[in-house]
């Protein structure tokens, strides 16, 4: 993959060049894109250079066209900066070609890596390397079309070529460092060699100007002169192979660039005279025997340098790399390195475990630690290598769809660190990745500055901030409700819960156990002893403890009950009188009878019975509820956790009746709910809380407040509409108020 600089002076000359290689319809889209770009780019420069923005875009588009990335990528490159100038850029681009929108959006998102990642505070070199690696991976993962990354690399190359017009030395250094650490390694991995060496040499020129000038002077010839010399070697070897009967072959060459020369001199402590691979040629042939035939030709026609021959075919490198390497004295007494290998060996060196970039960038240890990532990169490189052989352009852009990195997301901490998480991770996973203590005390999160529920799935490139409390620990429901995806977070939560007080396990597990029982009507629900036997436990207490500790999933309880029910006949079931332990609920979506009624509350499946909501616990639609028959006031509806209900049930257990929410109650109505807030007492605390409720459009029906030992205890009675109210969201909002220590629903 080699870029060719096409010369043009204005829009007209640019269009005249590409009318020859693109269809009339494609050229019309170029013209429309340029017209739209002129509307917004006029008079603007490409920051931080003084290059005209439109000419910069056209220069990049020219390189993209020569890379054979297809006409829609060229259009996207012309319009790459449109989102900065127009809020309606999607509609304006759609009028030209709607498929370009995704590319422009991708370019816009990927370039944000300059604004979100920082390594300024990373002092440990190993940590710095790891952070650079994860930032490169994030850049790849953020591009839904791999051509987005190539367009960004082309743009970075043009920026480096014109960086001299930026007079701010600090900005030059920052951009050069960013280029050599993030963007040139990406070009290397994707096989865009021309862009890679340009990015490296131009960055080196700003970072180490003295060394750059010294090596450039030692080379004693331009890169173009070295390339021309290599072309002569290639032609000569091609003639010799054909004369020897080798007709299927490929000969390529490269001239080592200045940055690469400096790196090798530094790494191996070489002088310039010790380098034998400044000019290099590679020969690919079908069979191993052909490799040794070519070696014989090379050593016959050119003088080999003693001690500079390596047979990695007979003795492969530890990473299974195979090739013949030799250095010879070529024409004009210039040293040339020649590598000879089969096509299969070359494919393994480019795409397999012996891939050159892995060992150059990561070292042997790093290369072995990322095999899955390397395989994905190999697939992308193969796609990019095949693109020039594809002649049918119908739906051709589908081959560039980058879906192979979608199993991981990359998000950013408030101080600019990038971390990787499994796809679908939530702020809880993020918190535990940062530190286990932050995970334990996590109660809310901000994503890109906005407070979100802890259940919110995170996306690539988002900046995440965790809101914590001083005391407390994780909830077992984070696991049961599927809010945690990463193995690290799951193991930390389980370990913390195991270390909790035994009684807390039992209490938490009992609540879960009763909740699972309540999902089955009393007439068919098995005895607790039957469930214990079905699960293979000694007693129900151990079941409750394991539930509370997280060692037993709630679904196991449901599965056990369903198995018991399926084994016995419904005709033999006995409906015994309810006791305090028989407090039950038939959930609306699991009771077929509920859908037939429109009353607010169903008592034992029947509508029309007089009911009222108990003031002691103020149940809301969606809560697990139970009824208690009162004197002259019908059935009082309590939450099953209500302490007052439990007290009354012990005295007169026969008055406890099963109830459920009717459709009408779930769909409408206004209900009162008590929220208890404990906070450090301060001035304006009450005002801040009431302002919050006003912003959330919540009416306060009542307020009780006391203050003791500089702690404010407040109970707000709020009017809640409907069954879908998100208490977790409200609690997170209240936690964000300065001084709040604890928030709970009464």
């Amino acid at each position: 993959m080699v870029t060719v600089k096409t010369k043009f002076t204005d829009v007209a000359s640019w269009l005249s060049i590409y009318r020859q290689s693109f269809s009339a319809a494609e050229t019309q889209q170029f013209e429309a894109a340029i017209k739209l770009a002129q509307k917004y780019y006029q008079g603007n420069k490409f920051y931080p250079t003084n290059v005209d923005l439109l000419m910069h875009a056209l220069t990049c588009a020219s390189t993209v066209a020569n890379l054979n990335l297809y006409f829609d990528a060229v259009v996207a490159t012309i319009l790459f900066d449109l989102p900065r100038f127009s809020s309606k850029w999607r509609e304006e681009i759609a009028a030209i070609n709607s498929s370009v929108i995704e590319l422009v959006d991708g370019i816009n998102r990927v370039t944000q890596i300059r604004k979100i990642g920082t390594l300024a505070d990373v002092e440990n070199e190993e940590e710095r390397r790891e952070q650079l690696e994860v930032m490169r991976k994030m850049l790849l993962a953020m591009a839904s079309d791999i051509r987005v990354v190539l367009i960004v690399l082309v743009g970075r190359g043009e920026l480096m070529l014109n960086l001299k017009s930026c007079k701010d030395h600090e900005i030059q250094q920052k951009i050069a460092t960013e280029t050599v650490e993030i963007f040139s390694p990406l070009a290397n991995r994707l096989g865009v060699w021309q862009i890679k060496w340009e990015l490296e040499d131009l960055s080196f020129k700003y970072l180490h100007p003295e060394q750059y000038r010294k090596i450039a002077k030692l080379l004693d010839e331009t890169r173009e002169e070295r390339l021309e010399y290599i072309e002569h070697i290639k032609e000569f070897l091609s003639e010799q192979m054909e004369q020897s009967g080798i007709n299927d072959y490929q000969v390529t060459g490269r001239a080592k660039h200045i940055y690469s020369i400096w790196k090798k001199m530094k790494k191996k402590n070489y002088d310039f005279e010790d380098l034998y691979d400044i000019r290099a040629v590679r020969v690919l042939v079908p069979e191993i025997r052909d490799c040794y035939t070519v070696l014989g030709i090379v050593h016959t026609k050119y003088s080999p340098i003693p001690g500079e021959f390596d047979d990695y075919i007979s003795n492969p490198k530890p990473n299974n790399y195979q090739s013949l390497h030799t250095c010879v004295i070529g024409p004009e007494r210039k040293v040339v390195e020649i590598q000879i290998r089969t096509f299969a060996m070359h494919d393994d060196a480019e795409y397999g475990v012996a891939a050159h970039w892995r060992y150059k960038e990561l070292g042997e240890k790093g290369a072995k630690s990322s095999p899955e990532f390397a395989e994905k990169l190999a697939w992308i490189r193969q796609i990019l290598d095949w693109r020039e052989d594809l002649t049918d352009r119908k739906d051709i852009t589908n081959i560039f769809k980058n879906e192979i990195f979608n199993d991981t997301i990359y998000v950013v901490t408030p101080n600019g660190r990038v971390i990787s998480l499994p796809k679908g991770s939530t702020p809880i996973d993020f918190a535990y990745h940062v530190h286990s203590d932050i995970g334990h005390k996590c109660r809310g999160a901000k994503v890109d500055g906005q407070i979100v529920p802890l259940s919110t799935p995170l996306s690539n490139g988002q900046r995440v901030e965790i809101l914590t409390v001083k005391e407390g620990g994780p909830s077992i429901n984070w696991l049961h409700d599927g809010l945690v995806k990463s193995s690290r977070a799951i193991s930390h939560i389980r370990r913390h819960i195991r270390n909790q007080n035994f009684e807390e396990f039992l209490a938490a597990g009992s609540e879960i156990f009763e909740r699972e029982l309540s999902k089955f009507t009393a007439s068919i629900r098995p005895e607790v002893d039957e469930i214990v036997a079905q699960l293979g436990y000694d007693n129900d207490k151990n079941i409750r403890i394991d539930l509370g500790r997280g060692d037993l999933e709630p679904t196991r309880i449901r599965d056990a009950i369903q198995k018991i029910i399926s084994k016995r006949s419904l005709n033999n079931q006995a409906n015994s009188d309810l006791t305090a332990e028989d407090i039950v609920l038939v959930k609306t979506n699991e009771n077929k009878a509920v859908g037939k009624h429109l009353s607010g509350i169903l008592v034992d499946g029947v509508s029309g019975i007089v009911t009222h909501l108990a003031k002691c616990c103020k149940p809301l639609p969606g809560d697990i509820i139970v009824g208690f028959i009162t004197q002259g006031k019908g059935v009082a509806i309590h939450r099953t956790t209500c302490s007052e209900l439990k007290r009354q049930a012990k005295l007169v257990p026969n008055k406890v009746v099963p109830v459920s929410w009717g459709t009408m109650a779930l769909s409408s109505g206004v209900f009162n709910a008590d929220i208890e807030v404990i906070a450090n007492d301060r001035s304006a605390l009450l005002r801040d809380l009431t302002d919050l409720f006003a912003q959330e459009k919540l009416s306060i029906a009542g307020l009780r407040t006391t203050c003791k030992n500089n702690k404010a205890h407040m109970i707000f009675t709020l009017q809640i509409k409907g069954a879908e109210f998100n208490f977790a969201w409200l609690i997170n909002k209240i936690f964000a108020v300065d001084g709040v220590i604890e928030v709970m629903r009464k």
Side-chain angles (χ1 to χ4, degrees), residues 165-365:
S165 64
C166 171
K167 302 306 179 184
D168 190 320
H169 178 72
E170 186 175 337
I171 291 178
Q172 286 181 339
Q173 292 285 303
K174 179 181 181 297
I175 291 175
T177 301
E178 183 181 76
T179 299
V180 79
E181 290 186 335
I182 297 175
F183 291 98
S184 63
L186 282 175
N188 183 35
R189 296 176 185 196
L190 296 177
V192 200
W193 314 121
Q194 182 78 4
I195 294 178
K196 169 192 177 286
W197 75 255
E198 284 183 348
L199 292 177
E200 289 182 341
D201 273 7
L202 292 169
S203 299
F204 184 52
K205 188 175 183 179
Y206 289 103
L207 295 174
H208 303 283
E210 292 298 327
Q211 290 93 325
Y212 179 90
R213 284 191 290 268
K214 179 181 178 181
I215 294 173
K217 186 176 180 180
L218 288 170
L219 282 170
D220 194 31
E221 58 185 348
T222 65
R223 181 177 177 83
E224 286 70 24
E225 289 172 335
R226 281 180 284 144
L227 288 173
E228 186 177 347
Y229 179 87
I230 289 170
E231 284 300 317
H232 291 310
I233 300 290
K234 288 166 55 180
E235 291 173 6
F236 175 75
L237 288 176
S238 297
E239 292 173 1
Q240 294 296 315
M241 283 189 289
E242 289 179 2
Q243 291 176 13
S244 300
I246 303 175
N247 297 316
D248 184 11
Y249 63 86
Q250 181 180 329
V251 185
T252 58
R254 65 108 179 100
K256 202 174 188 70
H257 57 289
I258 293 175
Y259 177 77
S260 182
I261 291 171
W262 174 76
K263 276 190 70 176
K264 189 164 187 177
M265 290 171 62
K266 184 179 178 183
K267 180 180 179 180
K268 298 194 173 184
N269 198 26
Y270 280 179
D271 291 329
F272 183 79
E273 293 75 18
D274 298 325
L275 299 178
Y276 293 130
D277 61 345
I278 291 174
R279 304 165 194 83
V281 172
R282 179 179 295 142
V283 180
L284 306 181
V285 290
E287 305 291 340
I288 292 179
R289 63 174 179 271
D290 298 327
C291 294
Y292 292 98
T293 299
V294 174
L295 179 66
I297 293 171
V298 170
H299 282 184
T300 300
K301 301 300 180 180
Y302 301 126
S303 301
I305 297 176
E308 293 300 322
F309 169 68
D310 292 294
D311 185 348
Y312 295 120
I313 293 179
S314 299
N315 299 290
K317 288 186 176 183
N319 64 337
N320 222 21
Y321 171 84
Q322 289 183 289
S323 184
L324 298 177
H325 289 194
T326 187
C327 292
V328 298
I329 305 296
E332 303 175 30
R333 304 290 299 170
K334 293 179 178 179
V335 177
V336 182
E337 181 192 61
I338 298 178
Q339 298 178 359
I340 309 164
R341 64 182 73 143
T342 66
F343 288 103
M345 294 172 188
H346 181 67
D347 285 343
D348 188 52
E350 290 296 301
Y351 311 122
V353 295
H356 182 262
W357 70 265
R358 299 174 67 191
Y359 288 83
K360 283 286 186 179
E361 294 178 17
L362 305 178
E364 186 171 342
K365 180 181 179 182

Side-chain angles (χ1 to χ4, degrees), residues 464-635:
V464 184
E465 180 182 353
I466 298 300
L467 307 176
T468 61
V469 292
K470 292 182 179 179
E471 302 294 337
S475 168
I476 189 63
N477 290 323
W478 289 354
L479 299 180
H480 293 332
D481 295 341
L483 303 186
V484 186
K485 301 297 180 183
S486 63
S487 57
R488 175 186 293 195
I490 291 171
S491 63
H492 277 305
I493 292 170
R494 285 179 172 164
R495 188 180 304 118
H496 184 276
I497 291 173
R498 285 192 186 96
N499 294 332
Q500 281 186 311
N501 183 278
F502 178 85
E503 293 301 323
E504 292 180 6
F505 290 150
L506 183 59
S510 294
E511 183 179 344
I512 297 168
F513 187 71
E514 297 299 334
R515 185 177 69 209
E516 294 305 317
L517 288 178
S518 72
K519 295 177 180 178
F520 298 85
T521 59
S523 60
I524 64 172
R525 188 188 313 130
E527 296 295 330
V528 172
D529 288 345
E530 295 179 87
I531 300 171
V532 170
Q534 180 67 35
L535 289 171
Y537 277 76
D538 295 330
N539 53 65
D540 67 298
K541 186 176 181 179
N542 289 340
I543 291 178
R544 296 169 193 266
I545 292 170
D546 280 359
L547 279 170
R549 195 159 47 195
D551 291 338
L552 181 66
E553 294 292 330
T555 53
R556 292 277 308 281
I557 306 296
R558 292 199 295 274
D559 291 343
I561 294 174
Q562 287 167 349
K563 287 179 181 178
I564 295 169
I565 292 172
S566 66
K567 290 178 182 178
R568 68 189 186 188
S569 170
L570 292 174
N571 295 328
N572 295 327
Q573 293 179 10
N575 292 318
S576 58
D577 290 338
L578 294 170
T579 66
E581 282 71 32
D582 291 321
I583 294 174
V584 295
L585 161 74
V586 181
K587 279 194 171 180
T588 301
N589 61 358
E590 292 176 352
N591 186 345
K592 297 180 181 178
V594 172
K596 300 176 183 178
H597 301 281
L598 295 176
S599 63
I601 302 289
L602 302 180
V603 178
D604 210 4
V606 179
S607 63
I609 297 176
V610 176
T611 62
H612 68 275
L613 300 179
K615 294 182 179 180
C616 50
C617 57
K618 295 184 176 65
L620 296 175
D623 287 338
I624 303 175
I625 55 176
V626 70
F628 188 87
I629 301 172
T630 64
Q631 187 72 28
K633 295 183 180 180
V635 177

Side-chain angles (χ1 to χ4, degrees), residues 404-424:
I404 62 176
F405 292 106
N406 63 3
D407 57 347
T408 304
I409 60 168
Y410 299 89
V411 291
V412 188
T413 66
N415 64 357
R417 302 290 185 93
V418 179
I419 66 173
S420 60
L421 295 168
K423 183 181 180 181

